Amino acid sequence: MGSRRVISTLPHLCNRIKQTENEIIQMFRLSSSKDETPNLPTNRTLSRNKLSGRTLDERFVRILKIFKWGPDAEKALEVLMLKVDHRLVREILKIDVEINVKIQFFRWAGKRRNFEHDSTTYMALIRCLDEAGLVGEMWRTIQDMVHSSCLIGPADLSQIVRILGKAKMVNRALSVFYQVKNRKCKPTASTYNSIILMLIHEGHLEKVHELYNEMCNEGNCFPDTVTYSALISTLGKLGREDSAIRLFDEMTENGLHPTAKVYTSLMEIYFKLGRVEKALGLVQVMKEECCAPTVYTYTELIKGLGKAQRVEDAYSIFMNMLKEGCKPDVVLINNVINLLGKAGRLADAIKLFEDMESLHCTPNVVTYNTIIKALFECKAPVSEASSWFDRMKAKGVIPSSFTYSILIDGFCKTKRVEKALLLLEEMDEKGFPPCPAAYCSLINTLGKAKRYEAANELFQELKENCGSSSARVYAVMIKHFGKCGRFTEAVDLFNEMKKLGCRPDVYAYNALMSGMVRAGMIDDAYSSLRTMEENGCVPDINSHNIILNGLARTGGPQRAMEMLTKMKNSKVKPDAVSYNTVLGCFSRAGMFEEAAKLMKEMNLNGFEYDRITYSSILEAVGKIDDVPAHTVL
């Protein structure tokens, strides 16, 4: 106390303190009646008290901005004789001042005698901290609020959950939810929906159904349309389609009316299950229930029909949609262009692109990518793809790494490797990160051209730039090492990818097994097929055909036939390649009776035997001269 008294008695400090007080008082001194009169409205609808209060507020803001929060601002409150209550705190937190000023004022107010923060003041500060991105301070304030004696309503709890979810603090949001639920308030359906939607948004899908069961067990809180919508969508994503369909039925039984979003989610599920007619039937149900399909509904409908190879139906629905007045967005149009391109209807795809302006849609990078890809898939002249690339840039649409990847792949497939390499350089110059798909196309093309060193050089470049490589790129390099007789290097690469934590996929295993078969290591290849299954990598038809080819060439007809029989009894059924492989084996072994039986079986299963194999059988029995050269079998 003594030191404070000595300092305050210093003449220059004493004068400054008095000066500061006088400045504050002058800033907040009311104008004289004479000064105010000319400024008052003629109709005097505003009372003098309201006018003075408003002026004081503006002047207090100036003080707060100049002096921040501290003794000067405190003095201003005293001069104004403003009572520190919840309304004042909320109003001050709305002022456009630095966030630290708000925090200091909030703490100061909380220490005042006869004042306690309530949920409105806590929430006002939490919102300010959220906007300022001060996550740590925000979390401390939320904890203080939860541990304080103030009541927290369902609406506030919902908002806290949303704010924490947005800040990626999912576990803390759940912690607050359960703390408040157990002590302070009973959550409503809206509160549960907030936490369910947060969990979905942050990818914690498994927890969603648990929250739903908890909600149902509350006894006084029942799922609403929002709850069902979120759950049906989530269960669809988790592959639990039957549960999603049951929930939809439960929803309608409870008298709730599904929204367009719910119908769209269910439609996606039916398409996923291959129940196309059921999905199409939902559109009619929507119309009967006066629930108009949205652009998102039509997008899902067209995507599903495209995957089901029903391009004409999809295009017809799109045209009817336009007639009915539903405005498409760029996502929907991109999907229609994509399915038209895949179906080889390039002219229709380009026409739709040209019609986008009249449909009030602006093409984006995905639109251009889809057109360029369709041009390559439809074997259009390469110059057309290049011109669309130039057109894209001229329109100010910035190419993405996927744009370059499509072009590089297209140039590789049309044997324009040097042009593809130039585009790879351009990608690097424009600052794009290395694109594994683009490298994969180039490495594969160079390998096919027997330019193995160039392929390996690109592979090493990708590893250096990325620190690793994708399983697909490894698979391509392993395949080409196996083809050119560098099997040891192929095995080394396979082991390297495992060591680096890059899990081998079916393509990598197939590439390794193919190399083993080429090296005559058929038993090792067969062992790798079993290892592959044990490691959770499901073999495809190519995996089995690689082994079958090895057995047919080195193991003899009996082992090849055993493998074919095994395939018939497994999930992976033999295809035309499988049958032709064994047919060729019978042909080389002179087993023509067995070959004839197998050819009959092939016909019954709808497979065609290839002409080379058939010719070799005819040659082996000396009948090749009896068959005209132009005969097509």
Side-chain angles (χ1 to χ4, degrees):
M1 291 294 292
S3 60
R4 285 182 62 190
R5 189 161 54 245
V6 170
I7 292 171
S8 64
T9 55
L10 291 172
H12 67 282
L13 286 178
C14 186
N15 291 336
R16 175 59 189 145
I17 290 167
K18 287 178 182 177
Q19 182 186 348
T20 302
E21 287 180 2
N22 288 335
E23 284 174 358
I24 295 168
I25 290 165
Q26 287 301 319
M27 287 187 76
F28 291 92
R29 190 182 296 282
L30 293 175
S31 307
S32 66
S33 301
K34 192 194 302 184
D35 294 333
E36 281 182 1
T37 306
N39 296 323
L40 285 170
T42 320
N43 61 10
R44 296 185 177 272
T45 53
L46 273 175
S47 71
R48 180 175 297 177
N49 285 340
K50 286 186 179 178
L51 183 66
S52 301
R54 188 175 60 181
T55 308
L56 291 175
D57 277 350
E58 290 169 358
R59 291 180 179 184
F60 179 72
V61 172
R62 286 174 60 197
I63 277 289
L64 211 53
K65 287 185 176 181
I66 294 167
F67 295 100
K68 311 301 179 189
W69 181 256
D72 296 325
E74 284 183 47
K75 189 69 179 177
L77 283 178
E78 285 178 27
V79 171
L80 293 169
M81 293 183 291
L82 291 175
K83 181 185 176 184
V84 178
D85 58 13
H86 297 128
R87 178 187 160 282
L88 178 70
V89 173
R90 291 195 302 271
E91 289 302 315
I92 289 177
L93 289 175
K94 288 178 186 176
I95 297 171
D96 183 20
V97 291
E98 292 176 12
I99 187 65
N100 286 334
V101 173
K102 296 182 180 183
I103 294 169
Q104 288 166 12
F105 166 73
F106 185 87
R107 288 174 181 167
W108 173 84
K111 293 174 184 175
R112 298 278 292 178
R113 186 180 297 172
N114 300 324
F115 178 83
E116 258 186 74
H117 286 296
D118 67 0
S119 62
T120 65
T121 57
Y122 271 115
M123 289 307 299
L125 181 62
I126 287 165
R127 283 190 287 269
C128 292
L129 294 167
D130 176 39
E131 287 172 15
L134 296 177
V135 177
E137 186 65 37
M138 180 181 76
W139 172 239
R140 281 190 288 274
T141 306
I142 290 170
Q143 284 181 304
D144 289 344
M145 181 182 181
V146 171
H147 295 138
S148 73
S149 59
C150 83
L151 294 174
I152 300 174
D156 291 332
L157 180 55
S158 297
Q159 191 168 13
I160 290 169
V161 165
R162 284 195 294 271
I163 288 170
L164 288 171
K166 190 177 72 173
K168 311 292 181 187
M169 300 167 79
V170 177
N171 290 332
R172 289 182 175 182
L174 284 168
S175 170
V176 167
F177 174 76
Y178 285 115
Q179 284 182 68
V180 174
K181 175 189 166 188
N182 294 333
R183 289 175 48 230
K184 297 198 174 193
C185 85
K186 288 185 178 181
T188 61
S190 179
T191 315
Y192 271 104
N193 290 342
S194 294
I195 200 151
I196 285 170
L197 291 169
M198 176 203 70
L199 289 167
I200 291 170
H201 188 265
E202 297 305 319
H204 295 252
L205 303 182
E206 290 293 346
K207 182 75 177 170
V208 171
H209 203 260
E210 186 183 319
L211 258 293
Y212 163 73
N213 289 331
E214 207 173 285
M215 183 181 185
C216 293
N217 293 332
E218 285 286 335
N220 61 344
C221 180
F222 301 101
D224 60 12
T225 305
V226 176
T227 319
Y228 280 111
S229 177
L231 281 162
I232 290 166
S233 174
T234 301
L235 290 169
K237 287 173 184 173
L238 289 171
R240 289 155 64 178
E241 293 86 4
D242 290 342
S243 298
I245 294 166
R246 277 199 300 274
L247 271 182
F248 177 83
D249 294 337
E250 179 186 303
M251 178 185 184
T252 53
E253 285 165 11
N254 289 341
L256 294 170
H257 298 285
T259 61
K261 186 177 178 182
V262 175
Y263 279 116
T264 304
S265 296
L266 190 63
M267 189 181 291
E268 184 182 357
I269 288 166
Y270 281 137
F271 276 124
K272 193 175 173 183
L273 293 171
R275 297 167 68 178
V276 178
E277 295 306 321
K278 195 79 174 170
L280 290 172
L282 282 177
V283 180
Q284 187 57 39
V285 172
M286 288 178 77
K287 290 178 180 177
E288 288 169 3
E289 295 293 327
C290 299
C291 179
T294 65
V295 67
Y296 305 105
T297 312
Y298 282 112
T299 301
E300 203 55 56
L301 195 56
I302 284 163
K303 275 167 61 180
L305 287 169
K307 286 176 184 174
Q309 307 299 315
R310 292 174 60 169
V311 177
E312 195 55 53
D313 289 339
Y315 191 58
S316 176
I317 284 171
F318 173 70
M319 298 308 289
N320 287 335
M321 182 200 89
L322 296 180
K323 287 175 188 174
E324 289 171 7
C326 181
K327 293 181 180 178
D329 62 7
V330 69
V331 176
L332 174 55
I333 289 178
N334 289 345
N335 275 284
V336 178
I337 290 173
N338 183 47
L339 70 90
L340 288 171
K342 284 184 175 177
R345 295 171 60 172
L346 187 58
D348 288 331
I350 291 172
K351 184 182 181 302
L352 180 54
F353 180 95
E354 303 299 352
D355 288 343
M356 285 182 76
E357 188 176 345
S358 64
L359 294 170
H360 307 291
C361 278
T362 305
N364 59 16
V365 64
V366 177
T367 321
Y368 280 100
N369 288 348
T370 309
I371 287 285
I372 293 168
K373 191 174 182 184
L375 287 164
F376 281 119
E377 286 176 348
C378 295
K379 312 293 183 194
V382 175
S383 57
E384 281 192 44
S386 297
S387 70
W388 275 87
F389 183 54
D390 295 335
R391 177 178 174 178
M392 172 188 191
K393 291 186 285 186
K395 289 285 185 181
V397 179
I398 299 168
S400 64
S401 61
F402 192 54
T403 313
Y404 282 99
S405 181
I406 292 167
L407 285 162
I408 287 169
D409 185 59
F411 287 143
C412 285
K413 285 176 178 172
T414 52
K415 298 182 180 177
R416 287 166 173 79
V417 183
E418 302 311 320
K419 197 166 178 64
L421 286 166
L422 285 172
L423 275 177
L424 191 68
E425 283 183 28
E426 187 178 314
M427 277 185 82
D428 186 49
E429 288 166 5
K430 290 191 178 293
F432 284 105
C435 176
Y439 274 91
C440 194
S441 297
L442 275 163
I443 290 167
N444 192 39
T445 303
L446 291 167
K448 284 179 179 177
K450 301 193 186 321
R451 294 170 63 180
Y452 301 116
E453 288 309 320
N456 194 30
E457 191 178 318
L458 271 182
F459 178 73
Q460 296 303 328
E461 181 185 301
L462 179 62
K463 284 203 297 180
E464 286 169 18
N465 291 337
C466 289
S468 64
S469 190
S470 70
R472 189 64 57 88
V473 183
Y474 267 107
V476 170
M477 203 63 233
I478 290 166
K479 177 182 76 174
H480 288 299
F481 273 151
K483 278 186 176 180
C484 69
R486 295 161 65 173
F487 181 66
T488 304
E489 289 174 75
V491 174
D492 289 343
L493 272 186
F494 187 82
N495 292 330
E496 178 187 295
M497 71 184 291
K498 289 195 293 182
K499 189 177 177 182
L500 292 172
C502 180
R503 189 178 178 184
D505 61 7
V506 65
Y507 300 100
Y509 273 107
N510 287 354
L512 182 69
M513 290 189 296
S514 182
M516 287 174 171
V517 168
R518 284 176 181 276
M521 301 164 62
I522 183 60
D523 290 331
D524 292 291
Y526 214 155
S527 175
S528 291
L529 183 69
R530 288 192 292 271
T531 303
M532 177 183 183
E533 291 176 301
E534 288 165 6
N535 291 337
C537 183
V538 181
D540 61 9
I541 185 63
N542 292 326
S543 313
H544 289 86
N545 282 342
I546 287 165
I547 303 298
L548 187 60
N549 180 51
L551 291 171
R553 293 190 174 278
T554 61
Q558 187 178 344
R559 289 191 70 186
M561 197 60 201
E562 285 172 3
M563 178 74 181
L564 186 70
T565 305
K566 186 180 176 184
M567 287 174 71
K568 289 180 199 175
N569 297 323
S570 72
K571 289 181 181 178
V572 183
K573 302 299 179 188
D575 61 3
V577 174
S578 317
Y579 277 105
N580 277 303
T581 300
V582 178
L583 196 60
C585 179
F586 284 158
S587 168
R588 289 189 297 275
M591 299 170 65
F592 305 118
E593 189 177 334
E594 289 79 357
K597 287 179 184 176
L598 195 60
M599 288 165 79
K600 187 176 180 181
E601 186 181 319
M602 286 177 74
N603 280 332
L604 289 172
N605 289 328
F607 296 125
E608 293 182 4
Y609 29 85
D610 63 56
R611 182 164 181 171
I612 296 171
T613 305
Y614 186 71
S615 297
S616 67
I617 293 171
L618 291 178
E619 186 176 22
V621 294
K623 295 181 179 178
I624 192 66
D625 295 330
D626 297 336
V627 181
H630 63 270
T631 302
V632 178
L633 300 166

